[in-house]
Amino acid sequence: MGELDTVNLLVTHLPVWGGRRLALEDLRTALKGRVRLVAAHFNVMLLSVDYDDPVQAVEDLRSSLPKGTVILRAIPVHRVVSPPELGEVARVVRELLSRAPPGSYAIRLEGRLEDSGREVSRDEAVKVIAEGIERPVNLGSPDVLVLVKRFRLRRLRGAVIYVGPPRGVYSAVKG
């Protein structure tokens, strides 16, 4: 995977002219320069931030981003799976969940994963990922959020995986 191995943050920003530059300026200011752009396309950026825990980077963003920032979302990345094969994503999710605190969980899948070269529906993919997970499901207020987000950045395609508290993901809409 090469450079994708260093990715630990996915950020989306408003699709405006100069949006990437403005988002990077806000990120570098909020994170005191501890950010490096790995790949970007349109309004999605894959980043490497100099933090032991990318959830802490998101907390720093939450408290430091200026009002009116172009940044829409920041997702800590615990693992990147490229290509976005359903079986590998399911294996990684189970591994990460085995290390997560106990409690209920919910899976959020954004985009479609692949299985043997075909795209799988989100419902089917969630069922496969959830197979064998021995935790209660709580879609409204889970203790642990499993967020899988598919990305396509020019020739790069994959899925980022976050497993942690729902508050670990920054959303400009939700705060």
Side-chain angles (χ1 to χ4, degrees):
M1 274 196 299
E3 284 230 65
L4 290 180
D5 290 333
T6 66
V7 170
N8 58 1
L9 190 67
L10 181 143
V11 171
T12 61
H13 58 81
L14 289 171
V16 296
W17 187 86
R20 183 179 309 150
R21 180 185 50 77
L22 294 170
L24 282 169
E25 285 175 12
D26 286 350
L27 286 165
R28 288 188 173 118
T29 299
L31 301 179
K32 298 173 180 51
R34 299 163 59 181
V35 60
R36 183 176 61 84
L37 181 64
V38 175
H41 192 57
F42 295 115
N43 70 322
V44 177
M45 298 185 295
L46 294 176
L47 304 152
S48 174
V49 293
D50 185 21
Y51 278 76
D52 291 334
D53 181 3
V55 175
Q56 184 58 54
V58 171
E59 282 302 317
D60 288 354
L61 285 175
R62 183 177 274 114
S63 64
S64 301
L65 282 174
K67 294 237 186 270
T69 183
V70 295
I71 294 173
L72 296 173
R73 245 169 129 203
I75 301 169
V77 175
H78 290 124
R79 198 77 60 83
V80 177
V81 175
S82 181
E85 286 292 329
L86 175 57
E88 182 63 8
V89 167
R91 184 192 71 72
V92 169
V93 165
R94 288 186 201 108
E95 174 192 323
L96 292 170
L97 257 179
S98 73
R99 292 184 264 161
S104 64
Y105 81 107
I107 297 173
R108 305 266 190 272
L109 175 58
E110 299 178 3
R112 292 178 174 238
L113 300 176
E114 300 170 6
D115 187 23
S116 302
R118 72 174 181 89
E119 286 192 342
V120 178
S121 75
R122 290 198 308 219
D123 288 344
E124 182 182 344
V126 168
K127 285 178 187 170
V128 169
I129 293 168
E131 276 177 26
I133 296 174
E134 300 291 328
R135 288 175 176 256
V137 174
N138 183 339
L139 300 178
S141 183
D143 298 310
V144 178
L145 173 65
V146 174
L147 177 59
V148 179
K149 181 170 179 58
R150 167 82 186 256
F151 66 84
R152 292 177 198 211
L153 303 172
R154 295 196 171 98
R155 290 172 299 186
L156 289 175
R157 66 192 217 303
V160 298
I161 301 171
Y162 166 72
V163 175
R167 179 168 168 75
V169 175
Y170 169 78
S171 171
V173 175
K174 294 181 183 175

